[in-house]
Amino acid sequence: MKLYYLRMQGNREKMEGQNQCKKKLRVCVATCNRADYSKLAPIMFGIKSHPDEFELEVVVLGSHLIDDYGNTFRMIEQDDFDIGSKLHTIVRGEDEAAMVESVGLALVKLPDVLQRLRPDILVVHGDRFDALALATAAALMNIRILHLEGGEVSGTIDDSIRHAISKLAHYHACCTRRAEQHLIAMCEDHSRILLAGCPSYDKLLSTHHRDDHMDIIKSWLGDVKEHDYIVALQHPVTTDIQHSIKIYGLMLDALLSFKKRTLILFPNIDAGSKEMVRVMRKKGIEQNPNFRAVKHIPFEQFIQLVCHAGCMIGNSSCGVREAGAFGTPVINLGTRQTGRETGENVLHVRDADTHNKIYHALELQFGKRYPCSKIYGDGSAVPRILKFLRTIDLDEPLQKTFCFPPVKECISQDIDHILETQSALSVDLGGTNLRVAIVCMRGKIVNKYTKPNPKTFEARMELILEMCREAMQYAVHNNCRILGVGVSTGGRVNPQEGIVLHSTKLIQEWSSVDLRTPISDALHLPVWVDNDGNCAALAEKKFGHGKGVENFVTVITGTGIGGGIIHHNELVHGSTFCAAELGHIMVSLEGPECSCGSRGCIEAYASGMALQKEAKRLHDEDLLKVEGMDMKLSEPITAAHLINAAKLGNPKANAVLNKAATALGVGIINILHIVNPSLVILSGVLASYYQAPVQHTISERALFSVQSIKVVTSDLEEPALLGAASMVLDYETRRIY
């Protein structure tokens, strides 16, 4: 026991010694202007109140040191902070070039200061160009950076600067949940992001109910009632200076017309401020008895003025942030705060051509009170930030890491990437609809467009090109590389020339038509054209049951009967491009008349049109409907009614379907005896119905050598589109691999 107590005492003494030797965190807070000091001051007070843990260094630069902007460094001294360095970094001119030169001047002066102070961490606020210089210098000098208010969106060049500082910073203290999510989306490490709230809220939420607020109001505005005055603060938008000046002038005109006592603050030092001040003086604002124009107001007094104002107008972040905590009505002018989270107290006036719109906004807002909003903080930001600072481990590697989402590596040489992005534009010219699709190398339809097929040649060609261009625009936005255009159409096609020789009756005015030339000329892509039956066979060969099969036949059972023959891995076209007209194989000398003008063709028995014709005949003879069959008087009679009637036991319908299935089976037996494929694939809407009867007919009537050949139904939903695409993809991939 004695040994145990001695060991415990030794451990306690060791820990106490470590605590005594623990190095204070040397924190440098850099402030550039009156606005950022209002956010940084609460943190500075918090750091100063813990001298055993932190050592505070203060660097002042920017407009703090300019007389025209109130020499606001004095309020830092009045707050009893020791300013370690004052850097004159502003190049006067108040234009874009002066801002750039100011950043450069700050970068020249900062290295000496940072090298002398050697802080463990530099605290930088917001989105000012001065802050960008601070973050750049510190990052290059391997000094850790804590960025305040990152991840917010305000709709101006400030966004770019703010996000650039966030990328340079090692740690983040943000104000809202949305800002936190933005930082995470920017690939910042979640473990280094603190959702703290706005530090200025710590002060304003605890002190805005001051008993002497009327004395403060009187000292700045004279004898005026509470909620009966306006606070105006408008800054230039550096990406659109002329518009800023215009809106500023209209705001002043509206305030002059509104005739309420107004406290107006000079704009900040951004490019365009000089022109805005010139507009203010031209309108005689400084001499107008209703106005009090000032360069600076201490933050504690300023929040009293905002809290008890009848309205705040302009584009200051104070209007959308701090004013919400008081329920003060705000009119936000222009685009400077676009994207910021706001309470219901903010009314936006994005643009105006006259001052009337702003005047009307003043009428709507002035004198109202709104519920207090705590979007930007709950008054406990500083304790959270101090606790966060205590957790910083100076022994951790300084090199910043980003949390990027997973991506495929080496995609330019990756076969999966090539298969996903290389695509074909596929066109299917049906009798009813015209369809265009983007089909990727794997056979996936990326996007599809469908419109009714026009009746005339000119309208049809115009619509094809219009839909193709729309699909190509989609492809560009989705990183799909279109290799060419494949066209599937009914009728007899010369694929070598891309010409439709003779079309079906379903597609009028579509004979001796050159499809390849106009489409290729318009879209600047290679074009392939073939018959829809051949395309269905090509689709099966590349994406379906025919994949890897050397010899097979595809039979389309739809409105008509068509198909394609693959022999020794090649599509059979024939000497006059009439091969595989499978629907017109004759199975009877005295059969029903076919659409081709002959009799006894498979199509005259087994096509959707033939079945529909028989269904109408039975319906007219009142022999179609059976018990349990639901038929509306107004609906047209189709093949589906015939099939439904057969399923419900209608003997007449059943006889028609058996005859159709037998005719199709006999036709397919003829194909088996002529080309001897190893597989038959039924495609189209009637395929699933015909599969079993056709297989049965083959087993009963075919030669023994072909009775074992399988008949399967296609799994492809869009064989015509996929087949048209395969013409493009097969040819192109032969050239690439």
Side-chain angles (χ1 to χ4, degrees), residues 226-478:
E226 187 177 4
H227 307 318
D228 197 36
Y229 62 91
I230 297 169
V231 175
L233 178 52
Q234 179 90 354
H235 300 303
V237 176
T238 56
T239 50
D240 195 352
I241 293 172
Q242 292 307 312
H243 185 260
S244 296
I245 296 167
K246 169 194 161 187
I247 289 289
Y248 188 66
L250 294 175
M251 178 191 78
L252 295 177
D253 290 340
L255 289 170
L256 286 166
S257 300
F258 202 65
K259 295 181 181 178
K260 285 290 180 181
R261 191 81 170 116
T262 302
L263 178 69
I264 184 165
L265 280 81
F266 279 60
N268 65 21
I269 202 168
D270 282 351
S273 60
K274 186 166 55 178
E275 289 83 353
M276 290 174 71
V277 171
R278 191 177 293 124
V279 169
M280 183 176 70
R281 286 175 173 159
K282 188 176 180 180
K283 293 182 182 292
I285 296 299
E286 290 172 293
Q287 289 76 42
N288 191 300
N290 274 337
F291 287 81
R292 172 81 189 279
V294 297
K295 295 176 180 177
H296 168 67
I297 300 174
F299 181 71
E300 293 83 355
Q301 297 183 38
F302 181 65
I303 61 174
Q304 297 299 314
L305 292 163
V306 171
C307 174
H308 300 283
C311 182
M312 184 175 184
I313 188 170
N315 64 5
S316 169
S317 62
C318 178
V320 298
R321 296 169 68 97
E322 283 85 355
F326 313 132
T328 302
V330 173
I331 300 169
N332 182 57
L333 301 178
T335 60
R336 189 170 185 261
Q337 302 301 335
T338 299
R340 283 227 196 251
E341 297 171 74
T342 65
E344 59 182 290
N345 64 309
V346 179
L347 176 65
H348 295 278
V349 180
R350 306 293 187 197
D351 199 4
D353 293 323
T354 68
H355 77 275
N356 291 338
K357 189 185 288 186
I358 301 174
Y359 185 89
H360 185 56
L362 284 166
E363 288 183 318
L364 289 174
Q365 286 287 78
F366 187 79
K368 281 188 177 180
R369 301 314 291 176
Y370 289 90
C372 296
S373 166
K374 293 185 180 179
I375 294 173
Y376 288 93
D378 59 2
S380 300
V382 172
R384 294 190 185 106
I385 292 171
L386 294 182
K387 184 178 179 181
F388 188 61
L389 286 171
R390 292 185 188 102
T391 65
I392 293 174
D393 184 358
L394 299 179
D395 293 327
E396 282 185 347
L398 181 67
Q399 176 59 50
K400 181 178 177 179
T401 58
F402 299 100
C403 297
F404 294 109
V407 294
K408 291 181 181 179
E409 295 182 3
C410 302
I411 58 172
S412 61
Q413 298 299 322
D414 185 84
I415 184 67
D416 291 326
H417 176 70
I418 291 169
L419 293 177
E420 288 298 335
T421 58
Q422 291 190 339
S423 306
L425 206 58
S426 186
V427 180
D428 177 29
L429 280 156
T432 305
N433 291 318
L434 174 60
R435 300 184 302 160
V436 174
I438 300 168
V439 181
C440 76
M441 197 72 75
R442 295 185 185 277
K444 177 186 175 184
I445 295 179
V446 178
N447 205 16
K448 184 170 68 173
Y449 308 83
T450 303
K451 290 188 178 180
N453 202 344
K455 300 299 181 185
T456 65
F457 166 78
E458 292 80 6
R460 194 175 294 135
M461 285 302 302
E462 185 179 345
L463 183 59
I464 289 172
L465 295 176
E466 177 189 320
M467 292 172 72
C468 285
R469 289 191 180 100
E470 184 180 355
M472 289 175 69
Q473 288 179 353
Y474 178 91
V476 169
H477 290 305
N478 289 272

Side-chain angles (χ1 to χ4, degrees), residues 492-502 511-516 529:
R492 188 163 64 95
V493 177
N494 178 347
Q496 298 170 3
E497 303 294 334
I499 295 175
V500 181
L501 300 173
H502 299 290
S511 295
S512 300
V513 172
D514 179 2
L515 287 181
R516 175 177 293 166
V529 184

